[in-house]
Amino acid sequence: GAVVSQHPSRVICKSGTSVKIECRSLDFQATTMFWYRQFPKKSLMLMATSNEGSKATYEQGVEKDKFLINHASLTLSTLTVTSAHPEDSSFYICSAGLAGGGGELFFGEGSRLTVL
Amino acid sequence: KQEVTQIPAALSVPEGENLVLNCSFTDSAIYNLQWFRQDPGKGLTSLLLIQSSQREQTSGRLNASLDKSSGRSTLYIAASQPGDSATYLCAVGGFQKLVFGTGTRLLVSP
C-alpha cells in the first residue's frame, strides 16, 4: 500500500506557541490530504480537507485561524496549531488517497501534541 | 448526517477463537467502507476496503462483508492471535471522506 509519513510523532510545547506538523506522501502524489483529530479512547474526527494549491476546506466547528493548513506541493501538507492551548492537546492524524484508488485512504503514524 | 456505530466496544477472547466485529451506519448512500486497525498511540493501518457495489472482501484471516441496504458491515477474524490485539475501526462515507465508528478494542490472550 501507499505510505504516508507524519513528523513529528510527538511534540510538547508551551501555551501560546505555534506548532507545525508535516504530512508527506512518500511514494505517490496526493492532490488531497485530510487532517483528523482523535481524543483519548475516541474515534477520529475530520478537521479539514487539504487541497494542493488552494485553500483548505474546514469542517463545521473547526477554527480556521487556529488550525492553519498549507498544501504547497503534491506530496506535503502541513498543519500549524497556532497559539496553542492545553485543550488543543490531542492526537492528530493525516491521510491521503491514491488517484484511481477507489477512495481507499492511507494514514500517517499520527502526531501526539501536548500543550503545557 | 451519517452515524457509525461499532459493537461490541471491547472484546476479550482466548487465542484461536474466530470472532466477529460489527459496524452499523445510518445512511446507506455510501461510496465505500473501510476497516482499519489502530495500535495504541499509533496511526491507522488499512485492512480491507469494500466498494459500495461489493458484498465482501478477504485478506488472509480477515473477511469483511457489506450489506448496504441494512446499513451493516462485519469483520470476521479467523483463528485469532495475540498479535491481533488492537482497536478496530470501521469508516464509511463519500469518496475519500470518511466517517469513523467508535471502534472495538480487541484483546486476544495467549
Side-chain angles (χ1 to χ4, degrees):
Chain A
V3 179
V4 176
S5 178
Q6 272 183 252
H7 178 80
S9 58
R10 292 180 180 273
V11 57
I12 300 173
C13 69
K14 295 181 179 180
S15 290
T17 61
S18 295
V19 175
K20 180 183 287 186
I21 301 171
E22 294 185 346
C23 177
R24 295 181 184 273
S25 55
L26 296 186
D27 51 1
F28 67 102
Q29 294 183 331
T31 56
T32 305
M33 292 184 174
F34 304 88
W35 286 95
Y36 291 80
R37 182 174 181 175
Q38 186 177 34
F39 292 100
K41 297 187 178 182
K42 298 292 184 181
S43 192
L44 281 75
M45 299 295 294
L46 179 64
M47 298 175 63
T49 302
S50 173
N51 304 299
E52 188 268 336
S54 64
K55 292 183 179 180
T57 305
Y58 290 82
E59 296 300 304
Q60 189 174 9
V62 177
E63 298 178 60
K64 301 178 182 181
D65 295 332
K66 167 164 271 303
F67 299 102
L68 300 179
I69 291 174
N70 183 277
H71 195 153
S73 77
L74 288 171
T75 59
L76 174 64
S77 175
T78 60
L79 169 68
T80 301
V81 182
T82 63
S83 299
H85 190 272
E87 66 187 24
D88 298 326
S89 299
S90 192
F91 194 55
Y92 294 88
I93 311 178
C94 71
S95 71
L98 291 167
E104 184 174 11
L105 285 180
F106 301 92
F107 283 75
E109 310 95 325
S111 299
R112 171 76 58 192
L113 171 63
T114 302
V115 183
L116 303 177
Chain B
K1 178 184 175 184
Q2 179 74 273
E3 293 183 3
V4 183
T5 304
Q6 290 185 245
I7 295 174
L11 182 62
S12 183
V13 300
E15 181 178 8
E17 276 203 8
N18 302 323
L19 50 96
V20 176
L21 307 182
N22 298 292
C23 173
S24 61
F25 46 96
T26 55
D27 186 349
S28 62
I30 65 172
Y31 187 85
N32 58 28
L33 183 146
Q34 202 165 349
W35 281 92
F36 296 90
R37 168 186 173 139
Q38 185 176 32
D39 292 290
K42 302 293 184 182
L44 275 65
T45 300
S46 178
L47 298 175
L48 290 165
L49 169 70
I50 309 177
Q51 300 295 346
S52 62
S53 59
Q54 298 175 324
R55 299 283 288 184
E56 67 176 345
Q57 282 289 328
T58 298
S59 176
R61 294 183 292 109
L62 304 179
N63 175 275
S65 67
L66 173 63
D67 185 342
K68 213 169 60 164
S69 60
S70 67
R72 294 179 182 178
S73 175
T74 60
L75 178 66
Y76 176 82
I77 302 177
S80 58
Q81 302 171 358
D84 295 331
S85 298
T87 295
Y88 290 81
L89 296 163
C90 75
V92 303
F95 186 76
Q96 293 190 341
K97 197 164 187 177
L98 299 177
V99 176
F100 281 84
T102 48
T104 295
R105 294 189 306 280
L106 173 65
L107 176 63
V108 181
S109 51

